Amino acid sequence: MKLYDQNNTLSERHIKADKNADERVPDQMWLRCPHCHQLLFAKQLTQYAVCPNCDYGLRIPARHRLSWLVDSFEEFDKDLQTKNPLHFPGYQEKISKLQRQTKLNDSVLTGEASINDQLFSLGIMDPTFIMGSLGTVTGEKITRLFEYATTHRQAVVLFTASGGARMQEGIMSLMQMAKVSQAINEHAAAGLLYIVILTDPTTGGVTASFAMDGDIILAEPHALVGFAGRRVIEQTIHQQIPVDLQSAENILHHGFIDRIVKRQDEKKLLEWLLKTGSVANE
Ligand SMILES: [Zn+2]
């Protein structure tokens, strides 16, 4: 069976025929782009893990993103641990397992980074750690990142990826929204630059707070960005919402963000923005 045409793209006929391909092939060998549904051979993907057909950036661990994003990185607060404040059953075991898998203590990686000798404070949320949900350690690490940046007069670059506040930590999670926002406010009052890059998905309490507080807000192609999920909205307003309502492209069209940037262009753009920001600050 011929799967590919001369341009190495799957024909429409085979996309339909292969709807259940994920169940027939070994894990990690083939995957399907969640946006355009193109079947992708894993070995074809570059280090950026981007769909060659539509530029959608696949969900990747924070340390994977770090590997091509910066020239140097010194990690902060890698030993902070959640205390399971609500004594949620099974939560501690879940956290321990994810810590081993992701080599992170919680859903965000923070530290001081550099691109072309420009130092800045960097945070990368990890969609593979309880869907990047905002817990007490995540909130504390991001708050400390902004406080460090304010003290050392650095810009902050934050990659967001989140399903929202973490239910296992209840109201303690919700409080992180206000705490981080206050640290951002002090960073802004010091005249310092904050750049956000929204990745797939950025939703819930993260969208409702620090993801939308940036001086410059970028997004990766086709990233889902919203507050409530599609089903919740439809059940609340009793009507169907457009398919692309919560896409990065749609919110750009409505002026919520400044620009969509392909993953492979992010480092160059950040270098330019950081340079421009530091010149403006002099
Ligand atoms: Zn695609």
Side-chain angles (χ1 to χ4, degrees):
M1 185 171 72
K2 190 181 171 217
L3 276 181
Y4 294 96
D5 64 21
Q6 285 184 330
N7 296 322
N8 206 30
T9 57
L10 201 67
S11 71
E12 279 299 316
R13 188 162 59 86
H14 284 112
I15 287 176
K16 283 177 190 144
D18 266 356
K19 264 189 175 162
N20 299 318
D22 295 346
E23 294 160 17
R24 298 203 308 267
V25 293
D27 280 352
Q28 311 297 326
M29 194 185 233
W30 295 91
L31 55 147
R32 191 176 293 284
C33 171
H35 178 70
C36 72
H37 307 296
Q38 173 91 301
L39 192 63
L40 307 170
F41 186 37
K43 285 189 178 169
Q44 276 184 313
L45 296 176
T46 64
Q47 58 181 336
Y48 300 108
V50 166
C51 171
N53 190 48
C54 72
D55 292 324
Y56 168 81
L58 295 159
R59 295 174 186 180
I60 53 171
R63 291 198 188 278
H64 182 163
R65 185 181 292 279
L66 187 67
S67 66
W68 46 259
L69 184 69
V70 296
D71 299 329
S72 71
F73 184 72
E74 188 178 336
E75 188 172 347
F76 296 160
D77 301 314
K78 54 186 169 190
D79 297 322
L80 276 184
Q81 299 278 345
T82 178
K83 298 264 190 191
N84 192 6
L86 303 185
H87 306 292
F88 198 93
Y91 180 45
Q92 205 66 59
E93 292 75 15
K94 188 171 190 167
I95 289 283
S96 299
K97 186 178 167 198
L98 285 165
Q99 285 175 335
R100 287 193 297 275
Q101 283 175 358
T102 62
K103 308 274 188 293
L104 288 175
N105 54 342
D106 216 293
S107 65
V108 68
L109 175 66
T110 57
E112 184 173 65
S114 73
I115 296 177
N116 199 13
D117 293 330
Q118 297 181 97
L119 278 176
F120 61 100
S121 296
L122 173 66
I124 306 175
M125 298 186 77
D126 193 319
T128 67
F129 198 114
I130 319 185
M131 193 46 84
S133 60
L134 176 61
T136 48
V137 171
T138 315
E140 180 65 19
K141 285 179 77 172
I142 297 174
T143 301
R144 290 185 187 190
L145 183 73
F146 275 94
E147 289 172 348
Y148 180 90
T150 305
T151 304
H152 293 82
R153 298 203 56 77
Q154 289 181 358
V156 172
V157 174
L158 182 62
F159 286 79
T160 59
S162 185
R166 187 174 300 170
M167 68 167 195
Q168 291 92 335
E169 298 193 20
I171 196 166
M172 305 292 183
S173 291
L174 296 177
M175 289 166 64
Q176 305 309 311
M177 295 163 60
K179 186 172 80 177
V180 174
S181 294
Q182 177 58 28
I184 293 172
N185 197 35
E186 286 171 17
H187 183 255
L192 299 166
L193 178 65
Y194 171 32
I195 302 168
V196 184
I197 299 98
L198 310 170
T199 74
D200 185 59
T202 295
T203 62
V206 170
T207 306
S209 57
F210 52 86
M212 289 292 153
D213 282 339
D215 300 304
I216 297 169
I217 306 178
L218 310 168
E220 293 192 339
H222 316 303
L224 172 73
V225 181
F227 179 61
R230 161 177 294 273
R231 209 180 322 150
V232 173
I233 297 173
E234 290 181 342
Q235 283 170 358
T236 304
I237 64 174
H238 301 296
Q239 56 181 284
Q240 284 200 320
I241 58 174
V243 174
D244 68 341
L245 182 76
Q246 296 176 309
S247 69
E249 288 72 14
N250 193 44
I251 62 167
L252 174 70
H253 178 70
H254 287 89
F256 276 86
I257 62 172
D258 298 300
R259 183 170 164 181
I260 290 174
V261 57
K262 293 179 190 175
R263 195 172 278 175
Q264 51 271 46
D265 298 335
E266 284 168 357
K267 185 173 180 179
K268 269 267 169 258
L269 180 60
L270 284 177
E271 181 184 350
W272 183 80
L273 287 171
L274 290 166
K275 194 170 179 182
T276 306
S278 67
V279 170
N281 245 341
E282 280 170 5

